[in-house]
Amino acid sequence: MKRKPSTEATSAWIRLMRVQSRVLDCVEQDLKKAGFPPLAWYDALLELSRAPSGELRPVELERQMLIPQYSTSRLIDRLVDEGLACRRECKIDKRGQFVEITEAGRELQKRMWGAYSAAIEKYVGSKLSDADAVKLSGLLDRLGCSCGEMKLPPIVHANETTPSR
Amino acid sequence: MKRKPSTEATSAWIRLMRVQSRVLDCVEQDLKKAGFPPLAWYDALLELSRAPSGELRPVELERQMLIPQYSTSRLIDRLVDEGLACRRECKIDKRGQFVEITEAGRELQKRMWGAYSAAIEKYVGSKLSDADAVKLSGLLDRLGCSCGEMKLPPIVHANETTPSR
DNA sequence: GCAAGATTGATGCAGATGCATCGAATGGGG
DNA sequence: CCCCATTCGATGCATCTGCATCAATCTTGC
């Protein structure tokens, strides 16, 4: 039952780790150079903007983003500090609250998407044919599911192309 | 010249990010539960153990591991504190030094490989056929090269199978 | 209706990271 | 030979993360 990892699996693992950290670095760097906040902010803003009335419970945001609870809590603090979101009381559960994206938040999200999508194109799109991108997605999906209980949110993560304006 | 990213590229990007962070989390968690230090320590110990006489210049370690200089510096501090490595003077360049792995370091590296390889098998090997692992590696490689100047070190990163003992 | 347990979100603290900068040493012109 | 640009490695500081824990509230079982 206890197999040793194939060299192929090990090599795939190593590449997965190295390539994503490298590519992520490049993308974050581009965004930062363009004067934008970290990608996590974008992710949060996007989730909020896609929510029914632009608001989510922190606990939902947390589950969407797959980050720890305290991390969500502090991310929200920062968004609120910057006026990108605001806290709203939650009448049906007084432990909780809602976080609502502001107009400034929506705007920033859209502006970031411009730089973000350009970076994705630069570091991913231009290196892979559509067909290969699909293959890659498929292979990755198989890894993703069920490390414990994985919940890949619906799929779309980015706006449709060119959302600003 | 300025294309918008294909949905395929975007979707591949999202999966790459989410899957690796998820899988990495799982692996790190397993290691931590087994009482081992973070993976970065393993990487450093492995690089050192594979070096000619078990020693490297910090700057080489830094380039192998693709982490920032100050990060290397502090990682070495911790390894030295734990007796896993020691600093040696560098006679040919007095700015620098050598870092040499100790016997304890080599041992830890081998013990970690046991847990590490098991985790890789659990989270990667068991989900992917060898053939698919090869395909995945190939696709990832295409992404890796030349975000700036990528240097994927030679390939092997892990010991040959079952190195401990 | 109530006590026990679970869930939500915040926070104090220790340790880690990013950034800028520093001092020391090297190496290359002129 | 000397100066200057560059490389090597360390570190002060602000920020960020992980962990444990807290108080408040909700839910469940009785």
Side-chain angles (χ1 to χ4, degrees):
Chain A
M1 204 74 289
K2 206 174 202 184
R3 294 196 296 124
K4 54 199 160 80
S6 70
T7 34
E8 284 78 13
T10 303
S11 153
W13 157 266
I14 292 161
R15 283 169 166 71
L16 179 59
M17 294 304 123
R18 300 188 84 95
V19 168
Q20 97 74 240
S21 79
R22 194 73 165 102
V23 176
L24 177 58
D25 245 47
C26 292
V27 171
E28 288 252 34
Q29 217 52 37
D30 278 16
L31 282 245
K32 178 176 297 189
K33 267 185 273 181
F36 289 116
L39 260 185
W41 292 33
Y42 175 82
D43 286 342
L45 291 176
L46 180 61
E47 292 301 337
L48 289 174
S49 74
R50 286 152 48 79
S53 30
E55 56 185 19
L56 283 175
R57 298 285 299 267
V59 68
E60 305 187 78
L61 193 54
E62 169 194 338
R63 285 197 267 259
Q64 285 295 315
M65 297 184 61
L66 304 172
I67 57 178
Q69 179 270 320
Y70 54 80
S71 189
T72 314
S73 179
R74 284 167 178 149
L75 176 54
I76 293 170
D77 283 350
R78 285 167 220 144
L79 295 180
V80 171
D81 283 352
E82 298 295 326
L84 301 168
C86 56
R87 296 179 201 271
R88 298 221 163 289
E89 106 181 278
C90 174
K91 306 196 194 251
I92 58 177
D93 182 345
K94 286 197 189 142
R95 288 168 306 182
Q97 62 191 257
F98 280 102
V99 178
E100 186 184 2
I101 191 171
T102 62
E103 212 28 64
R106 289 186 191 273
E107 245 184 69
L108 176 60
Q109 185 270 318
K110 284 176 194 155
R111 279 190 302 120
M112 284 186 80
W113 174 242
Y116 189 14
S117 62
I120 295 176
E121 168 59 20
K122 176 169 159 196
Y123 297 113
V124 180
S126 70
K127 311 256 179 94
L128 240 39
S129 70
D130 277 6
D132 284 339
V134 170
K135 273 186 227 158
L136 180 56
S137 293
L139 289 168
L140 288 171
D141 273 350
R142 289 211 249 149
L143 283 187
C145 305
S146 76
C147 299
E149 15 48 46
M150 182 135 186
K151 43 217 154 180
L152 276 186
I155 277 187
V156 201
H157 190 244
N159 278 2
E160 305 325 312
T161 49
T162 167
S164 44
R165 148 110 234 107
Chain B
M1 203 72 288
K2 207 176 202 182
R3 296 195 296 126
K4 54 196 160 78
S6 70
T7 35
E8 284 78 13
T10 304
S11 153
W13 157 265
I14 293 161
R15 284 171 166 71
L16 180 59
M17 294 303 124
R18 301 187 83 95
V19 168
Q20 96 73 242
S21 79
R22 193 74 164 99
V23 177
L24 177 57
D25 245 47
C26 292
V27 171
E28 288 252 34
Q29 218 52 35
D30 278 16
L31 281 245
K32 179 178 294 191
K33 268 185 273 183
F36 288 116
L39 260 186
W41 291 34
Y42 175 82
D43 287 342
L45 291 176
L46 180 62
E47 292 302 337
L48 289 175
S49 74
R50 286 152 48 78
S53 30
E55 57 184 18
L56 283 176
R57 299 285 299 267
V59 69
E60 305 187 80
L61 194 54
E62 168 195 338
R63 286 198 267 258
Q64 285 295 316
M65 297 183 61
L66 303 172
I67 57 178
Q69 179 271 319
Y70 54 80
S71 190
T72 314
S73 180
R74 283 166 178 150
L75 176 54
I76 293 170
D77 283 350
R78 284 168 221 143
L79 296 181
V80 171
D81 283 352
E82 299 295 327
L84 301 169
C86 56
R87 297 180 200 271
R88 299 220 161 289
E89 108 181 276
C90 174
K91 307 193 193 253
I92 58 177
D93 183 345
K94 284 195 189 142
R95 287 168 306 182
Q97 62 190 257
F98 279 102
V99 179
E100 186 184 2
I101 190 170
T102 63
E103 213 27 66
R106 289 188 191 272
E107 246 184 68
L108 176 61
Q109 185 270 319
K110 285 178 194 155
R111 280 190 302 120
M112 285 185 80
W113 173 242
Y116 188 14
S117 62
I120 295 175
E121 168 58 21
K122 176 170 161 195
Y123 297 113
V124 180
S126 71
K127 311 256 178 93
L128 239 40
S129 70
D130 277 6
D132 284 340
V134 170
K135 273 187 226 155
L136 180 56
S137 293
L139 290 168
L140 288 171
D141 273 350
R142 288 211 250 149
L143 284 186
C145 305
S146 75
C147 300
E149 16 48 45
M150 181 136 187
K151 42 216 155 180
L152 275 186
I155 277 190
V156 202
H157 189 243
N159 279 2
E160 304 326 311
T161 50
T162 166
S164 45
R165 201 234 122 33

